[in-house]
């Protein structure tokens, strides 16, 4: 999932930029975990200030479990994340709409969401040609001195350019495998939902205005 997620970041970045213009609440798995942990800290502080016992914060224990999985390099169980999402999306700041960024990534995660009635009104699929994804990632190089990432198609100081290194994860065959893995996982994930919810948006033009128009038109459909 990690490799596929890295490739998909280019698509997600465009999608989030566009849908953010619609005034929706951006939700992602890392943010959800931190939100519940922060809510518990606020409750503990309020209880201390008011001289009372702290109240239970629904979702905080689940957030700790999810955080422990991440710290140990393990995947967060799909049922745990689905329950956290269900709780988070019930909060008042999500009442006017939300975009779930980068999740679900596979069929099992999608099924757990449905089991918890976490169902989007639309599923926006930002389409990019595989070659665009391949070119964008395979042209990346890292500076071993400061770990900064460069695109070798850009103008780069010659001294910096000479020391840039191609990482294994940016090699063409590795990137191709990630793209293929992502395509398989995404097909399985999308198949779980009602297909009338799926809207494909052309992201190849890199024109946020055109993408926004397509997304807004989809959301306006009855």
């Amino acid at each position: 999932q990690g490799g596929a997620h890295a490739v998909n970041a280019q698509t997600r970045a465009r999608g989030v930029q566009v849908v953010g213009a619609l005034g929706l609440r951006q939700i992602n798995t890392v943010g959800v975990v931190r939100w519940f942990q922060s809510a518990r800290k606020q409750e503990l502080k309020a209880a201390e200030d008011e001289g009372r016992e702290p109240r239970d914060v629904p979702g905080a224990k689940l957030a700790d479990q999810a955080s422990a999985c991440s710290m140990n390099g393990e995947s967060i169980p799909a049922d745990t994340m689905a329950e956290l999402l269900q709780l988070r999306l019930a909060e008042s700041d999500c009442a006017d709409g939300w975009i779930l960024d980068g999740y679900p990534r596979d069929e099992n995660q999608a099924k757990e969401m449905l089991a918890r009635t976490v169902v989007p009104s639309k599923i926006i699929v930002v389409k990019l040609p595989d070659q665009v994804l391949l070119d964008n990632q395979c042209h990346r190089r890292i500076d071993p001195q400061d770990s900064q990432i460069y695109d070798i198609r850009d103008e780069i100081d010659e001294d910096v350019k000479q020391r840039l290194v191609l990482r294994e994860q940016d090699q063409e065959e590795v990137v191709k495998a990630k793209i293929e893995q992502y395509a398989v996982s995404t097909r399985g994930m999308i198949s779980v939902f009602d297909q009338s919810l799926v809207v494909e948006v052309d992201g190849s033009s890199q024109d946020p205005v055109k993408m926004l128009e397509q997304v807004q038109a989809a959301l306006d459909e009855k």
Side-chain angles (χ1 to χ4, degrees):
Q1 294 174 352
H5 187 62
V7 173
N8 190 34
Q10 299 166 52
T11 310
R12 287 174 45 222
R14 295 183 187 179
V16 172
Q17 177 186 13
V18 169
V19 181
L22 299 174
L24 306 179
R25 173 65 61 180
Q26 181 183 345
I27 301 292
N28 58 58
T29 55
V30 174
V32 166
V33 171
R34 291 177 178 170
W35 191 92
F36 284 106
Q37 292 177 324
S38 176
R40 180 176 52 198
K41 287 181 180 179
Q42 293 176 27
E43 170 56 23
L44 290 173
K45 177 69 165 55
E48 182 181 0
D49 292 345
E50 298 167 12
R52 59 173 174 79
E53 289 295 314
R55 304 185 184 94
D56 180 55
V57 177
K61 291 181 180 179
L62 282 174
D64 285 343
Q65 295 172 18
S67 182
C69 288
S70 297
M71 292 292 290
N72 293 328
E74 303 170 356
S75 296
I76 299 173
D79 57 344
T80 298
M81 185 49 63
E83 187 171 352
L84 282 169
L85 287 171
Q86 183 184 40
L87 291 168
R88 178 68 184 92
L89 296 176
E91 295 293 329
S92 59
D93 63 329
C94 296
D96 292 333
W98 44 268
I99 169 175
L100 184 53
D101 170 22
Y103 196 89
R105 295 190 290 273
D106 61 32
E107 184 174 344
N108 183 49
Q109 293 171 347
K111 287 181 176 179
E112 289 294 343
M113 283 177 56
L114 287 185
R116 288 280 178 178
T117 64
V118 180
V119 183
S121 58
K122 293 292 180 182
I123 300 171
I124 307 299
V125 181
V126 182
K127 302 288 287 185
L128 281 171
D130 287 354
Q131 190 61 48
V132 172
L133 295 171
L134 189 64
D135 288 344
N136 286 349
Q137 190 149 345
C138 290
H139 285 94
R140 298 197 305 183
R141 300 292 186 271
I142 187 169
D143 184 345
Q145 288 192 7
D146 58 11
S147 299
Q148 185 171 343
I149 302 296
Y150 291 87
D151 187 320
I152 58 172
R153 295 171 296 184
D154 297 335
E155 290 188 13
I156 306 171
D157 184 84
E158 193 60 33
D159 289 341
V160 174
K161 194 171 186 178
Q162 290 298 320
R163 64 175 183 258
L164 296 182
V165 176
L166 173 64
R167 299 178 298 177
E168 180 181 355
Q169 68 198 66
D170 296 325
Q171 293 176 3
E172 184 172 345
E173 292 307 312
V174 175
V175 177
K176 283 182 177 179
K178 291 177 183 179
I179 293 172
E180 291 173 2
Q181 178 190 2
Y182 171 71
V184 171
S185 297
T186 300
R187 281 196 296 270
M189 178 270 290
I190 291 177
S191 71
V192 172
F193 296 100
D194 183 339
Q195 295 305 290
S196 66
L197 303 180
V198 180
V199 177
E200 292 190 351
V201 174
D202 181 13
S204 61
S205 69
Q206 303 188 37
D207 185 342
V209 174
K210 291 182 179 179
M211 288 179 61
L212 177 58
E213 291 173 351
Q214 294 178 66
V215 172
Q216 186 65 69
L219 294 177
D220 289 342
E221 291 180 358
K222 299 298 184 179

